[in-house]
Amino acid sequence: MAQKSVAGPEIERLIQLLSKLPGLGPRSARRAALHLIKRKEQLLVPLAEALGVAVEKIGVCGSCGTVDTSDPCAICADPDRDPSVLVVVEDVADLWALERAGAINARYHVLGGTLSPLDGIGPDDLNIAPLVSKCSQEQIAEVILAISATVEGQTTAHYLMDQLSHINVNVTKLAHGVPVGGELDYLDEGTLTQALKARTRF
Amino acid sequence: MAQKSVAGPEIERLIQLLSKLPGLGPRSARRAALHLIKRKEQLLVPLAEALGVAVEKIGVCGSCGTVDTSDPCAICADPDRDPSVLVVVEDVADLWALERAGAINARYHVLGGTLSPLDGIGPDDLNIAPLVSKCSQEQIAEVILAISATVEGQTTAHYLMDQLSHINVNVTKLAHGVPVGGELDYLDEGTLTQALKARTRF
Ligand SMILES: [Zn+2]
Ligand SMILES: [Zn+2]
């Protein structure tokens, strides 16, 4: 049975869009919409503005693949980052998790996912070729594969190791500390820091 | 310890605002922000537009106190609603829950909360005086108090009963079916329908 409409089409549309956010279902999207409408000046107006700014300004960094309001992103453009170390992550959320941990002052490379032949995701669907050419052309001493300990993550890591094997670069991986089968983004900062410090040669 | 910044200030602000929505904490707000940024055309742009429309158009109905894009709201303006029956609710969320149940084709009056002396919420802080004058001036035959079975809700119901006692209007309340201590907005539609059908004299 179709959900009965409870308000004007504009409110219904807002609820419907909010319900597409991860963590919000139809009921919590209704509560979120009402929460916003009731706090017009404190929350609705600022959030509308923040989303408008996001629409206008946020894009993908042409160098590392993260999202930011500048291209190159603030991390790639930061002169205090060690340019010789590149941390390869699956996703922007993983980059953010590592930055929150504050465990390393390097630059990143966001793959945009992992190899998954069953889902039809091959090397060309990921941000891999730019990584290889970056490592060939720039003075990169170490590539840290900060990739989830899932089957797809490890398949991807082995593929990258293979692609980078003919380049003069040390490829390392995160140390013990990442639980087998666990996703990086859910780890606490201490575990991430330990895993980075105890990284080993691939 | 302050949360370390993981992205530009515009993204941080978006995350911070999203984390104020009910159901989203700091972690899920980050995921929601990333989800939005990655789905720019499908989700970020439409949501930014929907919030802009909400900022511009959504207000409080001067007649019943619900939120809508028109004043009077679509329910108050609906000629097919029985104008002689008024359903009094604490909150817009309760109005929405009753409308979803589709149990009654009447009009509403939103109190905006319940009496709570401990929190300093007295009769003047709620939408009560307009309810009393509406019942005095219009041809209202029945006022249904669809108020939560909490202590504050029942205190409020008794206060309203008292205020309406000198007016020629039948005051009824929801029947058994509302669990003691339960909040209206969490009930399933069948329970709400039964509670409305079996309503009793106050
Ligand atoms: Zn970058
Ligand atoms: Zn109204």
Side-chain angles (χ1 to χ4, degrees):
Chain A
M1 198 185 100
Q3 184 80 53
K4 191 169 182 284
S5 170
V6 293
E10 294 89 349
I11 299 179
E12 285 299 325
R13 175 147 177 79
L14 177 58
I15 294 170
Q16 187 237 331
L17 288 167
L18 286 170
S19 74
K20 291 184 181 170
L21 292 180
L24 292 182
R27 181 185 294 270
S28 50
R30 283 196 299 269
R31 295 193 157 252
L34 202 53
H35 191 85
L36 281 165
I37 291 167
K38 284 180 181 171
R39 288 158 189 81
K40 186 167 182 173
E41 297 308 323
Q42 313 97 290
L43 194 52
L44 176 57
V45 170
L47 184 59
E49 286 172 356
L51 287 171
V53 169
V55 168
E56 232 175 84
K57 287 192 165 186
I58 296 176
V60 172
C61 173
S63 175
C64 73
T66 193
V67 293
D68 204 345
T69 46
S70 59
D71 182 10
C73 72
I75 293 174
C76 285
D78 182 356
D80 294 333
R81 299 258 169 178
D82 181 352
S84 70
V85 179
L86 209 54
V87 182
V88 176
V89 292
E90 294 168 31
D91 197 12
V92 176
D94 298 327
L95 184 160
W96 287 0
L98 288 164
E99 281 294 292
R100 283 197 304 280
I104 193 161
N105 193 38
R107 290 188 298 155
Y108 293 89
H109 188 88
V110 180
L111 294 175
T114 47
L115 294 175
S116 181
L118 288 177
D119 299 318
I121 300 174
D124 292 345
D125 301 308
L126 302 179
N127 191 18
I128 289 178
L131 170 65
V132 176
S133 68
K134 201 189 285 181
C135 292
S136 308
Q137 290 159 19
E138 298 179 23
Q139 300 284 327
I140 311 279
E142 179 179 6
V143 169
I144 304 174
L145 301 180
I147 295 179
S148 296
T150 56
V151 173
E152 289 86 359
Q154 293 315 297
T155 303
T156 308
H158 279 99
Y159 180 83
L160 292 175
M161 184 64 204
D162 196 51
Q163 294 294 301
L164 297 169
S165 59
H166 64 284
I167 301 172
N168 184 26
V169 63
N170 288 318
V171 181
T172 57
K173 57 178 180 172
L174 293 187
H176 292 304
V178 179
V180 174
E183 289 182 353
L184 222 66
D185 188 31
Y186 281 95
L187 296 183
D188 65 286
E189 301 169 7
T191 307
L192 284 168
T193 302
Q194 284 307 312
L196 263 173
K197 278 195 182 142
R199 64 187 184 268
T200 57
R201 268 191 107 79
F202 198 93
Chain B
M1 199 184 97
Q3 184 77 56
K4 191 169 181 284
S5 169
V6 294
E10 294 90 348
I11 300 179
E12 285 300 325
R13 175 146 177 79
L14 177 58
I15 294 170
Q16 187 237 332
L17 288 166
L18 286 171
S19 74
K20 291 184 181 170
L21 291 179
L24 292 183
R27 181 184 295 270
S28 50
R30 283 195 300 268
R31 295 194 156 251
L34 202 52
H35 191 85
L36 281 165
I37 291 167
K38 285 181 181 171
R39 289 159 189 80
K40 185 167 182 172
E41 297 307 323
Q42 314 97 292
L43 193 52
L44 175 58
V45 170
L47 184 58
E49 286 172 358
L51 286 171
V53 168
V55 168
E56 233 175 84
K57 288 191 164 186
I58 296 176
V60 172
C61 172
S63 176
C64 73
T66 192
V67 293
D68 204 347
T69 46
S70 58
D71 182 9
C73 71
I75 292 174
C76 285
D78 182 355
D80 293 334
R81 300 259 169 176
D82 181 352
S84 70
V85 179
L86 209 54
V87 183
V88 176
V89 292
E90 295 167 30
D91 196 13
V92 176
D94 298 327
L95 184 160
W96 288 0
L98 288 164
E99 282 293 293
R100 283 198 302 279
I104 194 160
N105 192 37
R107 290 188 298 156
Y108 293 89
H109 188 88
V110 181
L111 294 175
T114 47
L115 294 175
S116 181
L118 288 177
D119 300 317
I121 300 175
D124 292 345
D125 300 308
L126 301 178
N127 191 19
I128 289 178
L131 170 67
V132 176
S133 67
K134 200 191 284 182
C135 292
S136 309
Q137 290 159 18
E138 298 178 22
Q139 300 285 327
I140 311 280
E142 179 179 6
V143 169
I144 304 174
L145 302 180
I147 295 178
S148 296
T150 56
V151 172
E152 290 86 0
Q154 293 314 295
T155 303
T156 309
H158 279 98
Y159 180 84
L160 291 175
M161 184 64 205
D162 196 51
Q163 294 294 301
L164 296 170
S165 60
H166 63 285
I167 300 172
N168 184 27
V169 64
N170 288 317
V171 181
T172 57
K173 56 178 181 170
L174 293 188
H176 291 306
V178 180
V180 173
E183 289 184 351
L184 223 65
D185 188 31
Y186 282 95
L187 296 182
D188 65 287
E189 300 169 9
T191 307
L192 283 168
T193 302
Q194 285 307 311
L196 263 173
K197 279 194 181 144
R199 63 187 183 268
T200 59
R201 268 190 108 78
F202 199 92

